[in-house]
Amino acid sequence: MANEAYVQILPIEFLSGCDMASFRAFLNSPVGPKTTHFWGPIANWGFVAAGLADMNKPPEMISGNMTAAMCVYSALFMRFAWMVQPRNYLLLACHVSNETVQLYQLSRWARGQGYFPQKKDEPASE
């Protein structure tokens, strides 16, 4: 009886594109939304969003120590996501993205601190 109520409420287009057996399989899978294999990576996407938001801030505001710690953290958890069974591709994608963002931030910080020499425009020699 409860299923009939859902059928009446949801539009027919939704039901035609949705296979309940595959949805139930995803819901009850070892990496589905009932596990930390799903919600952990979802929460970790906040690190990626914060790193992307910080790209517009001046390099003087970047903490080199914290950014380096985030790089090490994401590198370690990329390996964890690859080695854990069942393999957690959502966590791997999250940490690959975070590593990319944090390495870019670390390069901005290092350039701002003078660790990388600034490129000088060389005059064209004739």
Side-chain angles (χ1 to χ4, degrees):
M1 194 68 159
N3 289 342
E4 292 174 7
Y6 285 113
V7 171
Q8 293 172 359
I9 294 171
L10 293 174
I12 203 70
E13 296 84 24
F14 175 80
L15 294 176
S16 63
C18 181
D19 181 14
M20 281 307 276
S22 61
F23 177 72
R24 188 172 293 129
F26 165 70
L27 192 63
N28 295 320
S29 74
V31 292
K34 292 182 177 180
T35 68
T36 57
H37 283 278
F38 180 80
W39 292 108
I42 295 299
N44 274 317
W45 279 104
F47 291 135
V48 179
L52 290 171
D54 287 347
M55 285 186 180
N56 295 327
K57 293 183 179 176
E60 298 82 33
M61 294 187 70
I62 299 172
S63 168
N65 290 336
M66 188 64 207
T67 305
M70 290 297 292
C71 287
V72 171
Y73 163 78
S74 281
L76 291 173
F77 273 89
M78 275 191 286
R79 184 178 189 287
F80 170 80
W82 187 256
M83 298 303 289
V84 70
Q85 294 297 324
R87 200 164 273 169
N88 195 335
Y89 294 111
L90 185 58
L91 185 64
L92 181 66
C94 171
H95 284 295
V96 166
S97 300
N98 191 40
E99 185 75 16
T100 304
V101 169
Q102 296 302 328
L103 286 172
Y104 174 71
Q105 293 291 67
L106 193 61
S107 72
R108 287 183 61 223
W109 173 80
R111 222 175 293 119
Q113 296 294 317
Y115 289 113
F116 297 137
Q118 298 292 330
K119 292 182 180 179
K120 295 179 183 174
D121 294 333
E122 297 178 15
S125 58
E126 294 182 33

